[in-house]
């Protein structure tokens, strides 16, 4: 029996041979596709797949499953025609595509921010609402990180970096502009935009997409005003481990708060996501390699406004370890809440910033 990666590669090769998916440059294909023969689909199955369209392919090595994400829903009758198994691996056809980065967040389902009090002083928590001072938006403060002796905040590039267009020193507000309202927390300048990581649009033939990720950092105006607590759920862990298929994960975000879920697979190829920063009149498609898919536990793991959240897992000994940064999502008919979440591995992001996670910072005593 082939691995799920091999089966996914075989389906990709078949789809390319039938012009059902757009090819990437040969060097990019070779990086992510293993050397296997193209899968075989009967002619009537090809007709169905041409009608519903293929948005992307993902796979789960632990459960030996390949997910074919379709642009339109596959009917129960059509499921009896298209292959349910390829190279000995189960194939699931899930209707769903990735939403655009930078979309306005949905109305928050709970409090958009959390504050903890330590020794009589209030501290703004990770997992809370933030935005650039010049944008009517709101995303999530993922965590605090340390570079050298200085502490920074980390989130997505599309949350505070304006998709690489925010000027250095731009104020970062807490709560985010969209969450400022009568009777709420007075907005304050949490920090100043400092740096972003590579987020270059293009198909991989003209530019190097191998380093693309979605992360930005900002310096803190006053370290005493912020806490490493993730809402009121848990403190930010300082250990970082790699995401794996089947891993149970958690996050605290601006919109949906504290949620749990499971990593159900990883994208076979770099996933193309539309990115927008309307205040800079910017819009482009960016390819992100090494994205993992999370399904929520009984409901959606995240939605708009949760971008930037730190994704963690609880280990056997009860301690937490960080695994990723939440950056995108979209409809998924097979997921609870009909929404999938995409995360990027955190280890590589921190390495590029030469940073470590900060825990135990203005945390209430147990």
């Amino acid at each position: 029996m082939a691995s799920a990666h091999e089966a996914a590669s075989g389906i990709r090769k078949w789809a390319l041979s039938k012009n059902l998916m757009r090819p990437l440059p040969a060097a990019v294909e070779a990086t992510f596709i293993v050397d296997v023969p193209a899968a075989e689909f009967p002619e009537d199955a090809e007709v169905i797949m041409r009608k519903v369209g293929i948005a992307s392919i993902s796979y789960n090595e632990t459960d030996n499953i390949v997910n074919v994400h379709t642009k339109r829903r596959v009917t129960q009758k059509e499921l009896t025609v298209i292959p349910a198994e390829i190279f000995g691996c189960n194939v699931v056809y899930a209707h769903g595509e990735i939403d655009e980065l930078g979309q306005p967040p949905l109305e928050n389902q709970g409090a958009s921010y959390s504050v903890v009090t330590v020794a009589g002083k209030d501290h703004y928590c990770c997992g809370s609402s933030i935005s650039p001072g010049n944008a009517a938006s709101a995303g999530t403060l993922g965590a605090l990180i340390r570079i050298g002796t200085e502490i920074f905040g980390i989130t997505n590039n599309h949350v505070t970096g304006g998709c690489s267009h925010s000027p250095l020193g731009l104020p970062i507000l807490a709560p985010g502009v969209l969450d400022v309202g009568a009777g709420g927390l007075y907005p304050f300048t949490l920090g100043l935009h400092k740096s972003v990581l590579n987020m270059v649009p293009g198909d991989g033939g003209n530019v190097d997409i191998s380093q693309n990720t979605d992360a930005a950092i900002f310096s803190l105006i006053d370290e005493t005003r912020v806490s490493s607590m993730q809402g009121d759920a848990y403190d930010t862990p300082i250990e970082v481990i790699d995401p794996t298929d089947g891993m149970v994960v958690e996050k605290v975000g601006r919109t949906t708060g504290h949620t749990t879920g499971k990593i159900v697979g990883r994208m076979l190829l770099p996933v193309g996501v539309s990115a927008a920063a309307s205040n800079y009149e910017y819009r482009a498609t960016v390819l992100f390699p090494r994205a993992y898919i999370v399904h929520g536990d009984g409901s959606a793991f995240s939605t708009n406004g949760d971008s930037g959240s730190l994704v963690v897992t609880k280990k056997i000994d009860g301690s937490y370890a960080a695994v990723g940064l939440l950056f995108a999502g979209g409809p998924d008919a097979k997921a609870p809440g009909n929404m999938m979440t995409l995360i990027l591995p955190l280890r590589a992001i921190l390495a590029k910033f030469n940073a470590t996670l900060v825990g135990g910072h203005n945390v209430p005593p147990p």
Side-chain angles (χ1 to χ4, degrees):
M1 183 173 65
S3 69
H5 189 188
E6 290 170 330
S9 297
I11 295 173
R12 167 68 175 179
K13 287 187 175 183
W14 171 80
L16 288 176
S17 72
K18 302 299 181 179
N19 294 317
L20 292 173
M21 298 183 78
R22 184 176 66 87
L24 293 174
V28 177
E29 295 276 353
T31 299
F32 296 95
I33 303 299
V34 295
D35 187 15
V36 295
E40 294 184 4
F41 281 57
E43 289 187 13
D44 50 355
E46 179 186 338
V47 172
I48 292 171
M49 297 310 298
R50 194 171 298 280
K51 185 188 79 170
V52 299
I54 301 176
S56 60
I57 301 170
S58 65
Y59 64 96
N60 181 316
E61 292 288 22
T62 300
D63 296 331
N64 218 39
I65 292 174
V66 176
N67 291 285
V68 178
H69 306 275
T70 60
K71 298 177 181 179
R72 286 172 290 279
R73 193 177 301 274
V74 180
T75 68
Q76 288 297 318
K77 182 178 180 180
E78 290 168 341
L79 285 173
T80 65
V81 177
I82 54 181
E85 184 178 290
I86 293 290
F87 296 170
C89 296
N90 294 325
V91 181
V92 176
Y93 300 88
H95 172 228
E97 297 186 75
I98 307 304
D99 285 339
E100 179 178 270
L101 299 179
Q103 288 191 99
L106 305 176
E107 182 178 352
N108 50 297
Q109 300 169 13
S112 59
Y113 57 82
S114 297
V115 175
V116 295
T117 303
V118 181
K121 185 176 177 67
D122 290 340
H123 309 279
Y124 200 71
C125 291
C126 297
S128 296
S129 169
I130 57 173
S131 79
N134 66 347
S137 63
T140 299
L141 167 60
L144 303 180
I145 62 172
R146 188 182 304 278
I147 303 174
T149 60
E150 188 174 356
I151 296 178
F152 296 83
I154 187 170
T155 185
N156 290 147
N157 185 341
H158 81 266
V159 171
T160 60
C163 296
S164 303
H165 289 77
S166 291
L168 297 180
L170 179 68
I172 307 302
L173 299 188
V177 172
L178 282 184
D179 293 323
V180 175
L185 181 69
Y186 288 165
F188 66 99
T189 300
L190 181 63
L192 302 174
H193 173 62
K194 176 68 175 180
S195 180
V196 300
L197 294 182
N198 198 64
M199 188 174 173
V200 180
D203 72 354
N206 299 308
V207 297
D208 180 10
I209 65 166
S210 65
Q211 300 305 310
N212 273 355
T213 192
D214 191 357
I217 62 173
F218 54 89
S219 59
L220 300 175
I221 297 293
D222 182 355
E223 295 178 4
T224 69
R225 296 204 67 176
V226 67
S227 170
S228 60
M229 280 292 296
Q230 296 285 332
D232 59 3
Y234 44 82
D235 188 21
T236 298
I238 59 173
E239 182 182 1
V240 180
I241 61 177
D242 294 325
T244 58
D245 298 336
M247 178 182 281
V248 175
V249 292
E250 304 178 36
K251 76 98 184 66
V252 177
R254 172 262 178 200
T255 308
T256 56
H258 180 208
T259 58
T260 60
K262 179 185 288 188
I263 296 176
V264 297
R266 67 194 84 177
M267 286 294 186
L268 174 65
L269 292 165
V271 57
V273 185
S274 296
S278 58
N279 52 323
Y280 299 108
E281 298 182 348
Y282 172 82
R283 184 181 298 274
T285 298
V286 181
L287 291 169
F288 294 95
R290 296 173 290 278
Y292 285 75
I293 301 172
V294 177
H295 284 181
D297 183 12
S299 61
F301 186 70
S302 71
T303 191
N304 299 347
D306 288 325
S307 289
S309 301
L310 183 73
V311 178
V312 305
T313 188
K314 183 180 284 189
K315 302 194 300 181
I316 294 177
D317 64 5
S319 65
Y320 283 95
V323 299
L325 204 63
L326 191 159
F327 83 107
D332 185 339
K334 298 294 184 181
N338 295 317
M339 290 290 293
M340 74 170 90
T341 294
L342 293 184
I343 69 173
L344 295 169
L346 185 66
R347 190 191 301 275
I349 292 172
L350 293 179
K352 290 171 184 174
F353 283 125
N354 194 26
T356 56
L357 288 173
V358 172
H361 184 77
N362 296 323
V363 172

